[in-house]
Amino acid sequence: MKYVFFIFLTIITSSSALSVSLDNFAERYDMHKEYTVWLQNGDILSGKILEIIEDTPKETGIKMQTLVGIVTIYDYEINKIVLTENIPPSNNRVFIMPTANPIGSNHFAGLYEVLFLYAGIGITDWVSITGGHSFIPKTEPHDQLSVLNAKVSSPKIYMKEDKSTHLRFAAGMNFAWLNNNNRLTHIFGIGTYNMESNSHVSFGMFYKSGNQEIPFPVYVLDTSFVVDYSDGAFGISAGADVKFSNRKDLSFIGEIWNSDVTNPTNTAFLLGLRLSGRNFSSDFGLFISTAPYWIPFISFVWTFN
């Protein structure tokens, strides 16, 4: 059980979009870039805009190259047109694992496991600060869980001449309180490779610092257990958010953690799906620990851009 709370207490960090008005779309669209179109019926299409069409003086639309071929979409069918590169995916986090990408202007508030309120803000394009607090029933206020994180991200390192892919690196600190008297402190570094599709993969390292006496008791849901997580432990992690090619709003998310490389049993896995909208995303999946424990996870995140 200690691994479960370690994972959930290191949560670090969804979707917002820059809309394009169809009225003046002909003057500003770029035929070399990809756009995402939300239709009135809820469907989503992505591809390059080949041309603006005007069948009648009162009926305009777009001709779009998609994975299923060239389609014509009329203005009355369109709810929103978005330049795909301006859709902020949930790229400052996987689920628990942070990425090297900053929050920037995509400030957010979320609800994790229905019991943990979490929020994050970006300061310019470099500094990201997140924090949260639990509201677990049958648990005293002084035994609730809290977390505070800060990271600094590097500039983008472009991997291709067209700037379609790039690397970022970040370093930061994480403070997690299992209760008012017991705090876990971590220093972490991470690198993230961002792909043209808005998918991303990350690899990280973290170190448990501080002078916390161990083991120590934790009380949650009328249950007590002992945490034995030594200072000086060195951990590693990897995570990915991979978009489905035919569903830009759906992606696979996966993570693997080891909180102490000297002990392979201190390993946890997380596998799930992320459904993203223009300003809202939700995650569903399963957390599995080698302890062994398994816990379903769910989150809802609102982005304010």
Side-chain angles (χ1 to χ4, degrees):
M1 181 63 76
K2 65 180 180 181
Y3 309 117
V4 174
F5 279 94
F6 166 70
I7 292 296
F8 279 96
L9 285 168
T10 53
I11 293 175
I12 306 178
T13 174
S14 202
S15 297
S16 178
L18 178 62
S19 62
V20 180
S21 172
L22 192 59
D23 295 337
N24 55 9
F25 188 67
E27 301 176 0
R28 61 173 67 181
Y29 86 98
D30 187 337
M31 65 184 302
H32 301 292
K33 293 186 176 182
E34 181 180 288
Y35 289 82
T36 298
V37 179
W38 275 268
L39 301 181
Q40 294 288 353
N41 64 5
D43 290 343
I44 300 175
L45 296 173
S46 295
K48 293 182 178 179
I49 307 296
L50 302 178
E51 63 175 304
I52 305 298
I53 57 173
E54 293 183 353
D55 287 353
T56 69
K58 294 185 178 181
E59 192 171 82
T60 62
I62 58 174
K63 187 171 288 186
M64 188 176 192
Q65 178 68 62
T66 70
L67 289 174
V68 297
I70 298 175
V71 298
T72 299
I73 311 170
Y74 290 102
D75 55 356
Y76 62 83
E77 299 176 293
I78 299 172
N79 179 271
K80 185 78 70 173
I81 302 179
V82 177
L83 188 62
T84 300
E85 67 184 40
N86 287 332
I87 300 176
S90 306
N91 66 357
N92 53 51
R93 63 183 176 89
V94 184
F95 182 75
I96 296 165
M97 181 178 176
T99 71
N101 298 314
I103 294 174
S105 61
N106 301 313
H107 317 300
F108 69 90
L111 184 64
Y112 288 72
E113 298 292 67
V114 191
L115 301 172
F116 196 92
L117 291 176
Y118 196 67
I121 62 171
I123 303 174
T124 69
D125 199 34
W126 313 112
V127 178
S128 302
I129 298 174
T130 56
H133 187 72
S134 71
F135 297 90
I136 302 173
K138 296 184 178 180
T139 302
E140 295 295 330
H142 59 268
D143 286 323
Q144 295 289 340
L145 317 175
S146 301
V147 65
L148 178 64
N149 314 281
K151 70 179 179 185
V152 178
S153 299
S154 73
K156 296 177 181 178
I157 302 173
Y158 291 104
M159 306 302 293
K160 296 182 179 180
E161 290 185 2
D162 61 2
K163 298 184 177 181
S164 59
T165 63
H166 66 274
L167 281 172
R168 291 195 93 143
F169 296 94
M173 291 195 70
N174 160 258
F175 303 95
W177 287 264
L178 297 182
N179 49 46
N180 285 0
N181 298 319
N182 296 292
R183 185 186 72 191
L184 306 180
T185 304
H186 300 90
I187 301 171
F188 66 87
I190 198 159
T192 299
Y193 177 65
N194 297 280
M195 307 174 205
E196 185 175 4
S197 63
N198 281 334
S199 299
H200 54 88
V201 294
S202 299
F203 297 90
M205 301 178 294
F206 53 96
Y207 172 79
K208 185 178 184 298
S209 61
N211 56 2
Q212 176 71 55
E213 292 184 2
I214 56 173
F216 55 84
V218 175
Y219 305 92
V220 176
L221 293 171
D222 286 340
T223 302
S224 64
F225 58 95
V226 174
V227 172
D228 187 2
Y229 176 36
S230 301
D231 288 323
F234 179 80
I236 56 176
S237 60
D241 181 329
V242 180
K243 308 298 179 186
F244 287 80
S245 59
N246 58 343
R247 285 288 304 270
K248 297 295 183 180
D249 62 334
L250 187 65
S251 61
F252 162 83
I253 56 174
E255 298 181 9
I256 181 171
W257 292 76
N258 178 275
S259 60
D260 186 348
V261 294
T262 64
N263 189 348
T265 61
N266 288 19
T267 301
F269 305 84
L270 186 147
L271 301 172
L273 294 175
R274 170 167 291 155
L275 183 63
S276 302
R278 279 170 285 168
N279 295 92
F280 174 79
S281 71
S282 54
D283 299 337
F284 307 91
L286 189 66
F287 163 82
I288 304 169
S289 169
T290 54
Y293 297 100
W294 64 271
I295 296 178
F297 71 80
I298 184 172
S299 75
F300 303 99
V301 176
W302 292 263
T303 302
F304 309 96
N305 189 304

